[in-house]
Amino acid sequence: MTPPIPIAKSVAGLQSALEPLRRAGKRIGFVPTMGALHEGHLSLLQEAKRQSDFAVLSVFVNPEQFGPSEDYARYPRDLKADAALAAGAGADHLFAPSPETVYPNGFCTRVEVTGLSDRLCGARRPGHFRGVTTVVWKLLQIVDPDLVFFGAKDAQQVVLIRKMIHDLNGPWEVRSVATVREEDGLAKSSRNRYLAPPDRERAATIHRALRSAFQTIVHGERSAGTAEKIADAILKGMAVDVEHLSTVSLSDLEPLVELQGDVLLAVAARFGETRLIDNVCFRVAGDEVEEILP
Ligand code: AMP
């Protein structure tokens, strides 16, 4: 069994653990999560271990990024299980602050990447990305890592965080990590556990639809509309309730007509109360198409 890892609940506790490492010139890698860890989170952690000397993982279910009718109260929480999984994947320190530690009484500052926050997932989840960027900015200030790791599954999040760090002159380097999937292609997510068995089976259609559209692009299709129609037909064929299916430029999330440059093809779909997202990112340069990370 892997020995347990230290868990800091306070900002001072974490910072006093990291101070000597920083002084010794160690590179700190940071993986922010909301817990309920699965192999997707663990692959971020493994990447953090590979690219840095000391890996910090945070577990914080951020109330600011949930809408009033969303699943904040029932979001799965099990710090003991998360600590064991994180230790097994090589985490060196856990940061698990309480909501009061992150948002003490009187907290009234927000960080918002305007415009980009309202596109794609932001259109249906007003305030969601303001909650994400606010907490990520705060966690980055607290941990002050060299590198911070995010999953490609949440491509819009990666784009927003890169923009926030650029616009506000943050010193941290962002690394994105490929999406980890179930055997049938469904992107691993803490929310997959909510799916009823028939929905769980249908949910794999999202990945299938994205791959089919991507394959036609690899074979020469350059119309965003046509690529979207191919994915949409597959999703409709399985009666999937699509919230958005969009082809946008990866840099500014603006809708594309012609596929050129760095492209994000993103899907959000609903299965009952559960909302799932997935995407494919690729670079189109003339006849060449190459899958990339956001
Ligand atoms: P969450 O706990 O859902 O906020 O996710 C924390 C981090 O894990 C985010 O950077 C996510 O993009 C990433 N992540 C979630 N699911 C996956 C996955 N299936 N593969 C890779 N990274 C993931």
Side-chain angles (χ1 to χ4, degrees):
M1 232 186 70
T2 324
I5 47 168
I7 303 180
K9 300 226 166 177
S10 71
V11 173
L14 180 76
Q15 289 179 336
S16 64
L18 297 183
E19 231 288 293
L21 293 159
R22 224 185 306 277
R23 249 187 294 121
K26 303 282 185 206
R27 274 164 76 78
I28 296 170
F30 176 41
V31 179
T33 81
M34 296 206 299
L37 299 184
H38 52 64
E39 283 150 48
H41 301 114
L42 301 183
S43 90
L44 300 189
L45 199 48
Q46 281 149 6
E47 208 46 54
K49 279 300 276 189
R50 213 178 355 254
Q51 297 189 35
S52 49
D53 303 308
F54 192 88
V56 178
L57 181 133
S58 67
V59 171
F60 179 62
V61 185
N62 175 31
E64 289 267 322
Q65 71 188 68
F66 288 80
S69 61
E70 293 183 1
D71 55 347
Y72 176 67
R74 69 166 184 146
Y75 198 84
R77 293 164 171 86
D78 186 347
L79 187 58
K80 228 169 119 190
D82 286 343
L85 284 169
D92 296 296
H93 215 105
L94 224 66
F95 181 46
S98 67
E100 296 72 32
T101 298
V102 177
Y103 303 115
N105 255 343
F107 184 92
C108 60
T109 303
R110 302 290 182 279
V111 180
E112 181 168 7
V113 180
T114 56
L116 295 182
S117 287
D118 301 327
R119 309 222 168 104
L120 303 174
C121 290
R124 295 281 186 107
R125 303 183 77 190
H128 167 70
F129 282 117
R130 187 180 52 225
V132 171
T133 43
T134 298
V135 84
V136 170
W137 184 261
K138 184 148 185 174
L139 290 169
L140 285 168
Q141 289 288 343
I142 292 168
V143 178
D144 193 18
D146 296 278
L147 304 170
V148 60
F149 295 81
F150 293 95
K153 179 168 84 75
D154 299 276
Q156 184 174 11
Q157 174 170 279
V158 177
V159 171
L160 286 169
I161 285 163
R162 285 191 197 282
K163 186 78 173 106
M164 167 183 79
I165 292 176
H166 175 265
D167 284 359
L168 297 179
N169 298 92
W172 314 287
E173 252 181 70
V174 174
R175 298 285 158 87
S176 58
V177 179
T179 301
V180 176
R181 301 180 178 281
E182 303 288 355
E183 245 169 51
D184 63 1
L186 175 66
K188 287 193 185 258
S189 162
S190 310
R191 290 184 168 112
N192 290 351
R193 69 184 69 188
Y194 300 151
L195 296 168
D199 286 343
R200 166 64 192 81
E201 229 171 85
R202 277 190 320 132
T205 314
I206 300 174
H207 179 60
R208 245 185 339 109
L210 284 167
R211 295 315 299 179
S212 294
F214 178 62
Q215 277 315 311
T216 65
I217 296 159
V218 168
H219 290 122
E221 183 57 62
R222 291 293 178 268
S223 153
T226 305
E228 285 171 14
K229 272 193 196 121
I230 287 163
D232 197 44
I234 293 169
L235 290 159
K236 285 221 172 83
M238 292 297 281
V240 174
D241 177 8
V242 177
E243 214 174 76
H244 69 248
L245 165 58
S246 322
T247 317
V248 298
S249 152
L250 187 58
S251 57
D252 57 12
L253 307 180
E254 286 288 349
L256 289 173
V257 175
E258 201 202 326
L259 299 169
Q260 185 55 37
D262 290 358
V263 179
L264 164 64
L265 172 55
V267 171
R270 263 187 192 285
F271 296 84
E273 291 285 286
T274 307
R275 185 176 180 281
L276 300 179
I277 58 170
D278 203 347
N279 68 75
V280 56
C281 290
F282 49 92
R283 176 166 298 151
V284 182
D287 290 343
E288 300 293 313
V289 179
E290 174 198 8
E291 201 164 350
I292 58 170
L293 289 169

